[in-house]
Amino acid sequence: MSYRSLPYVDPGAARGPLQRSTMRLLGSRVMVALERSLPFRLVAWRLTPRLLRLSGGRVASLLPFPADVLETRDARDGRPHRRAVVYFHDGDRVTLIPSRAGMAADPFWFQNALADPAVRFGERPYRAEAVEDPEAQARLWRLAEAAYPPNVTHRQDAARRGRTIPILQLTPR
């Protein structure tokens, strides 16, 4: 099975009215609450990576936002850990926001990527690195909120829970 090329996602690109409306809906309190619900987490966060892999990534074209599969090594047992994540590009780097819908803890995939930075995204090899520089973080947050507006709500909710959402960048290997 051939895998499609990873679409370049320009966070500053203009969006049509349907996509803008969809993003507003996704950032609404109702949708964020749904995203945090146990049934959603069990089904969507686990089923979507399988559908993306089985379809060779073509299912992603049906989503109203750019997403693909990130594969890390589980820091506890070394097994592959796959999750669908929303992304955008910053030059040749792929940027991921491990928001976990603004919940109190970082997602396991982020912790795994820090423990073993050799990851795969869209079936290609990358090196993962957390962005530590405050100026770079501020710039990337502006891009992240433009690329995926629900990041605004996720960031506010995480702050209320005492969490600062990190930023992860992937550099092609």
Side-chain angles (χ1 to χ4, degrees), residues 105-167:
D106 292 333
F108 289 124
W109 61 259
F110 175 70
Q111 297 167 11
N112 292 340
L114 293 180
D116 181 359
V119 303
R120 294 185 69 76
F121 186 67
E123 303 222 348
R124 290 156 199 78
Y126 287 89
R127 177 162 183 76
E129 183 179 354
V131 176
E132 302 291 338
D133 177 58
E135 289 179 19
Q137 287 176 342
R139 181 182 65 78
L140 289 168
W141 268 113
R142 285 190 299 276
L143 296 175
E145 291 171 356
Y148 187 66
N151 278 324
V152 174
T153 305
H154 295 170
R155 192 173 179 197
Q156 292 167 347
D157 291 350
R160 276 195 285 281
R161 291 174 170 83
R163 175 175 166 238
T164 300
I165 297 174
I167 299 173

Side-chain angles (χ1 to χ4, degrees), residues 15-36:
R15 291 196 173 99
L18 179 61
Q19 191 176 27
R20 285 193 309 269
S21 297
T22 302
M23 289 297 179
R24 273 195 301 277
L25 175 65
L26 289 172
S28 71
R29 289 281 169 204
V30 171
M31 290 303 289
V32 170
L34 174 66
E35 187 178 3
R36 288 188 194 129

Side-chain angles (χ1 to χ4, degrees), residues 2-160:
S2 67
Y3 201 84
R4 64 161 175 50
S5 62
L6 185 67
Y8 188 88
V9 178
D10 178 359
R15 291 196 173 99
L18 179 61
Q19 191 176 27
R20 285 193 309 269
S21 297
T22 302
M23 289 297 179
R24 273 195 301 277
L25 175 65
L26 289 172
S28 71
R29 289 281 169 204
V30 171
M31 290 303 289
V32 170
L34 174 66
E35 187 178 3
R36 288 188 194 129
S37 71
L38 183 60
F40 186 92
R41 291 190 336 246
L42 291 175
V43 174
W45 288 4
R46 287 178 170 75
L47 182 62
T48 304
R50 287 178 176 90
L51 291 174
L52 285 166
R53 289 186 74 224
L54 287 172
S55 72
R58 287 180 283 285
V59 168
S61 64
L62 301 174
L63 299 172
F65 47 81
D68 216 311
V69 176
L70 175 69
E71 182 177 316
T72 61
R73 289 267 160 217
D74 192 302
R76 296 168 294 184
D77 60 21
R79 291 191 333 227
H81 186 266
R82 296 177 189 94
R83 287 294 180 260
V85 295
V86 176
Y87 74 96
F88 65 91
H89 282 87
D90 177 37
D92 66 337
R93 293 181 175 193
V94 176
T95 305
L96 311 177
I97 305 296
S99 70
R100 200 171 176 215
M103 295 173 74
D106 292 333
F108 289 124
W109 61 259
F110 175 70
Q111 297 167 11
N112 292 340
L114 293 180
D116 181 359
V119 303
R120 294 185 69 76
F121 186 67
E123 303 222 348
R124 290 156 199 78
Y126 287 89
R127 177 162 183 76
E129 183 179 354
V131 176
E132 302 291 338
D133 177 58
E135 289 179 19
Q137 287 176 342
R139 181 182 65 78
L140 289 168
W141 268 113
R142 285 190 299 276
L143 296 175
E145 291 171 356
Y148 187 66
N151 278 324
V152 174
T153 305
H154 295 170
R155 192 173 179 197
Q156 292 167 347
D157 291 350
R160 276 195 285 281

